[in-house]
Amino acid sequence: MSRWLILTFLVVTHAPLLLAQKIEPIYTQKVQELVKDTRVQEAFAYIHEIDAQTIVDMITLTEIESPSFHEAAKGKVFMEMLRQAGADEVWTDEVGNVIALRKGTNSSKTILVEGHLDTVFPFGTDVSVKQRGDTLFAPGISDANRALAVVVALLNTMHEKDIRTTHDIWFAGTVGEEGLGDLLGMKHLFREGAHPLAAHIAIDGGAVEDIVNAGIGSIRYKVTFKGPGGHSYGAFGIGNPHNALAKAVAAFVPQADAFTKSGPKTTYSVSVLGGGTSVNSIPYESWMLVDMRSESQERLQGINQLFLQAMEEGLKQENEIIRRGAPITLQVEKVGDRPSGTADPSSELIQQVMAAAKFLSGNDPVLSAGSTNANIAFSKGVPAVTIGRGGIGGGVHSLDEFWINKDGYLAIQHALLLILMQGGF
């Protein structure tokens, strides 16, 4: 059952699975050496000891509404959790990211470890956690409040067991990961002139062995055609925005269909439509939301160009048949722009991730592509990975979202091993 749920999550939210990759012996050996260290063994045991509190933290955070752009209330609670967990310093940055510093013994680098604060659910959604048997149900409990609780547990463990890495570690809750949030928090952290981050460990996946090493890029638009509007009979002959939009879509789809039949997987979707007031009225506007995605930045830009040309073509065709009145106008607003990128399976961080996952789970790690906070680091060539939050989760982005604490501690141990290897221990 658990494996089926994991595979379902990956099929729905990620690109087709990549083949399992070879783990170089040097990384397997490093993991084996680490887990023999008395301090690491004590940390692993402590993660078990605080398991109940980690779940309490997850429930507390889940029950705070936090749609994208409205994460402040949850951020305050999360900040206090980080303080109580022993952070050396905690702050909220200009866009609302909550960051806790654990100082290194020689802070020449900074490693970012984070989960995102926002969920896809609007205000008014019942986010109270309900338990039936061994299963916790609530919107957002798995994505991504479990990850936030893991971040707190990691900091708590390192503080209580007095584990210091060579480099600084930032433990963070970030804003704007979901939907139209468009990776706001990560774009701010990786902006030009920001404090340099040497590596990024995002916690936002499924099982320990399921590893995201590539970012699926996306471009999203809200397109609006506007006209004067009027009575369907009395104003007949004026431009109709619905006609323009329909012609634009009709111009785009055949070209997009041909474009996406070859090369790296690239997708397109006319996702939401709106406009018009009544059956006997020519609408004054017609709008749509459109999503385009690809693992290849080049292919993403290619379909983007086809789309923009098709919008202009739809506008042109409708304006050519107008008999009277002002021409239709077109407004194209980019509402999402997530870059793509890939971390080489042979790179140090991905090798470390796979070696630790293999040791803890006993399963062969599987690499895949997804749309996560790590997209920004991937696109900039910064070592990055998205790892699992552990346990068994399902129903992500639905009102029936759930989480089961099936060996959930393994994800925390996995993240700790990565922190120690990347941070220097």
Side-chain angles (χ1 to χ4, degrees):
M1 174 182 171
S2 62
R3 188 64 181 166
W4 181 87
L5 287 168
I6 291 165
L7 289 173
T8 299
F9 172 80
L10 287 167
V11 169
V12 171
T13 63
H14 291 64
L17 302 183
L18 305 177
L19 294 176
Q21 301 289 328
K22 178 183 178 182
I23 303 172
E24 296 296 332
I26 186 174
Y27 297 102
T28 300
Q29 181 181 347
K30 178 60 178 178
V31 170
Q32 292 172 345
E33 291 173 355
L34 270 177
V35 297
K36 291 177 182 177
D37 189 295
T38 303
R39 293 167 295 175
V40 175
Q41 291 175 1
E42 290 177 353
F44 274 19
Y46 185 72
I47 289 169
H48 273 284
E49 290 176 24
I50 63 171
D51 191 53
Q53 182 59 50
T54 301
I55 294 174
V56 168
D57 290 344
M58 176 180 66
I59 293 171
T60 298
L61 293 165
T62 299
E63 293 185 335
I64 304 171
E65 294 176 281
S66 58
S68 301
F69 307 113
H70 300 282
E71 301 96 335
K74 182 180 288 182
K76 289 179 181 177
V77 174
F78 184 66
M79 174 180 282
E80 184 57 30
M81 288 181 176
L82 294 173
R83 284 199 183 99
Q84 294 295 323
D88 295 320
E89 184 180 349
V90 187
W91 68 96
T92 301
D93 69 14
E94 297 87 345
V95 299
N97 294 317
V98 179
I99 303 167
L101 167 65
R102 183 159 181 81
K103 295 178 181 177
T105 57
N106 180 12
S107 55
S108 60
K109 295 181 181 178
T110 301
I111 311 299
L112 173 66
V113 181
E114 59 84 31
H116 62 85
L117 291 163
D118 60 327
T119 72
V120 301
F121 304 100
F123 283 120
T125 303
D126 181 5
V127 292
S128 59
V129 178
K130 301 171 180 65
Q131 182 166 358
R132 295 197 289 273
D134 63 354
T135 307
L136 298 173
F137 291 88
I141 193 164
S142 183
D143 184 14
N145 291 294
R146 170 62 187 178
L148 294 173
V150 168
V151 171
V152 174
L154 286 164
L155 176 57
N156 185 9
T157 298
M158 293 182 70
H159 173 70
E160 289 297 323
K161 296 305 170 183
D162 195 25
I163 292 176
R164 291 274 177 186
T165 51
T166 301
H167 305 306
D168 287 351
I169 310 295
W170 279 8
F171 294 92
T174 54
V175 299
E177 192 274 344
E178 298 287 6
L180 296 180
D182 200 36
L183 308 185
L184 171 65
M186 298 313 302
K187 287 179 178 178
H188 184 76
L189 289 175
F190 283 95
R191 72 193 185 282
E192 185 176 351
H195 180 86
L197 298 171
H200 175 200
I201 300 169
I203 304 173
D204 193 20
V208 168
E209 63 267 29
D210 299 314
I211 299 162
V212 176
N213 74 309
I216 299 174
S218 64
I219 296 177
R220 294 164 175 167
Y221 287 108
K222 181 177 183 181
V223 175
T224 306
F225 291 90
K226 292 186 177 183
H231 193 278
S232 60
Y233 186 83
F236 180 72
I238 67 172
N240 189 318
H242 282 352
N243 293 350
L245 185 145
K247 290 169 182 175
V249 172
F252 173 60
V253 170
Q255 296 184 69
D257 176 62
F259 184 83
T260 57
K261 283 181 177 177
S262 61
K265 183 176 180 179
T266 304
T267 65
Y268 59 95
S269 173
V270 177
S271 303
V272 184
L273 299 169
T277 56
S278 70
V279 70
N280 59 338
S281 300
I282 298 170
Y284 62 86
E285 74 171 14
S286 183
W287 59 267
M288 63 180 172
L289 293 175
V290 179
D291 174 276
M292 297 173 286
R293 302 187 184 211
S294 182
E295 298 172 46
S296 162
Q297 193 68 17
E298 180 181 358
R299 298 292 288 178
L300 185 60
Q301 293 303 321
I303 196 169
N304 178 60
Q305 188 61 35
L306 292 178
F307 175 78
L308 295 175
Q309 292 171 353
M311 297 305 101
E312 294 290 344
E313 179 62 24
L315 178 68
K316 176 175 175 289
Q317 289 183 22
E318 179 60 13
N319 280 334
E320 284 176 346
I321 66 169
I322 289 176
R323 301 180 187 181
R324 60 191 174 109
I328 299 294
T329 62
L330 168 65
Q331 178 180 343
V332 180
E333 178 188 3
K334 185 180 284 187
V335 295
D337 191 352
R338 299 183 178 214
S340 59
T342 302
D344 191 325
S346 66
S347 64
E348 179 184 73
L349 176 58
I350 303 304
Q351 285 286 310
Q352 291 170 344
V353 171
M354 291 195 296
K358 174 70 173 179
F359 178 87
L360 290 169
S361 70
N363 299 318
D364 289 330
V366 180
L367 303 182
S368 66
S371 181
T372 72
N373 263 341
N375 277 42
I376 302 300
F378 287 145
S379 72
K380 293 180 176 293
V382 176
V385 68
T386 298
I387 61 174
R389 51 191 168 247
I392 301 172
V396 171
H397 290 193
S398 80
L399 297 178
D400 297 319
E401 191 168 339
F402 68 87
W403 189 78
I404 302 170
N405 190 19
K406 173 66 175 175
D407 298 331
Y409 66 91
L410 289 177
I412 307 174
Q413 293 176 347
H414 186 213
L416 178 62
L417 289 177
L418 295 188
I419 291 168
L420 297 183
M421 286 187 282
Q422 279 292 301
F425 181 70

